[in-house]
């Protein structure tokens, strides 16, 4: 809250990159005028980073937070091993995925996941800014 969302995300990315094998490239140029939205976005990025480190065996994670067409759009992409989304949800595993879905739902947003085994994962979260 003190530093603002882009600075807080950059600090998180730098801290993580310096302490793990995961290089994080971050571009964050947008914020919401609502502090609760920014806090949820920060927690979503934390979860994505955590999941990438824990499960993906990735060396690179690219994260972008932009404002486009009246929406905040958070995109993350890694070069790790990927997974079968439907299988994770069906088996009841994937607590991190459920966390992402829950936070996105609270924000009234949409979460899109593209993942293939051996091809990495792309998360895209779109949150409407019509009420700002």
């Amino acid at each position: 809250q003190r530093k603002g969302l882009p600075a807080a995300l950059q600090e998180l990315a730098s801290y993580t990159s310096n302490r793990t094998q995961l290089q994080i490239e971050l571009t964050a140029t947008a914020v919401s005028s609502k502090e609760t939205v920014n806090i949820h976005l920060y927690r979503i990025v934390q979860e994505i980073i955590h999941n990438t480190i824990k499960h993906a065996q990735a060396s690179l994670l690219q994260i972008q937070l932009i404002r486009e067409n009246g929406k905040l759009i958070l995109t993350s992409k890694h070069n790790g091993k990927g997974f079968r989304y439907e299988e994770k949800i069906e088996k009841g595993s994937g607590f991190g995925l459920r966390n992402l879905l829950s936070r996105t739902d609270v924000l009234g947003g949409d979460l899109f996941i593209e993942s293939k085994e051996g091809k990495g994962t792309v998360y895209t979260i779109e949150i409407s800014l019509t009420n700002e």
Side-chain angles (χ1 to χ4, degrees):
Q1 288 178 339
R2 280 183 299 113
K3 297 176 182 184
L5 182 59
L9 290 174
Q10 189 59 57
E11 187 175 289
L12 174 64
S14 295
Y15 178 86
T16 304
S17 290
N18 290 333
R19 286 164 180 73
T20 67
Q21 299 296 318
L22 181 65
Q23 177 187 353
I24 301 174
E25 295 177 356
L26 173 76
T27 304
T29 59
V31 295
S32 172
S33 63
K34 297 178 181 177
E35 194 59 37
T36 56
V37 172
N38 292 327
I39 291 168
H40 279 292
L41 286 169
Y42 183 85
R43 298 289 184 217
I44 286 169
V45 171
Q46 275 186 316
E47 188 67 48
I48 289 170
I49 291 171
H50 174 78
N51 288 350
T52 303
I53 292 168
K54 185 174 179 182
H55 303 291
Q57 299 174 351
S59 61
L60 176 63
L61 173 63
Q62 298 167 307
I63 301 170
Q64 181 180 53
L65 178 61
I66 61 170
R67 184 182 292 243
E68 185 176 283
N69 299 324
K71 296 179 181 181
L72 278 177
I73 301 174
L74 173 66
T75 305
S76 75
K77 177 181 176 180
H78 69 65
N79 65 352
K81 64 181 184 174
F83 65 96
R84 292 184 183 158
Y85 172 74
E86 294 82 13
E87 187 177 296
K88 289 281 186 198
I89 296 301
E90 281 179 20
K91 287 184 177 179
S93 60
F95 292 110
L97 285 175
R98 284 201 294 275
N99 187 3
L100 293 176
L101 288 165
S102 176
R103 286 188 183 276
T104 302
D105 189 49
V106 165
L107 295 173
D110 296 305
L111 171 63
F112 306 95
I113 301 172
E114 293 178 49
S115 188
K116 292 185 180 177
E117 289 185 274
K119 302 285 185 181
T121 300
V122 177
Y123 295 103
T124 303
I125 297 171
E126 297 181 357
I127 300 161
S128 176
L129 296 173
T130 55
N131 295 331
E132 293 203 4

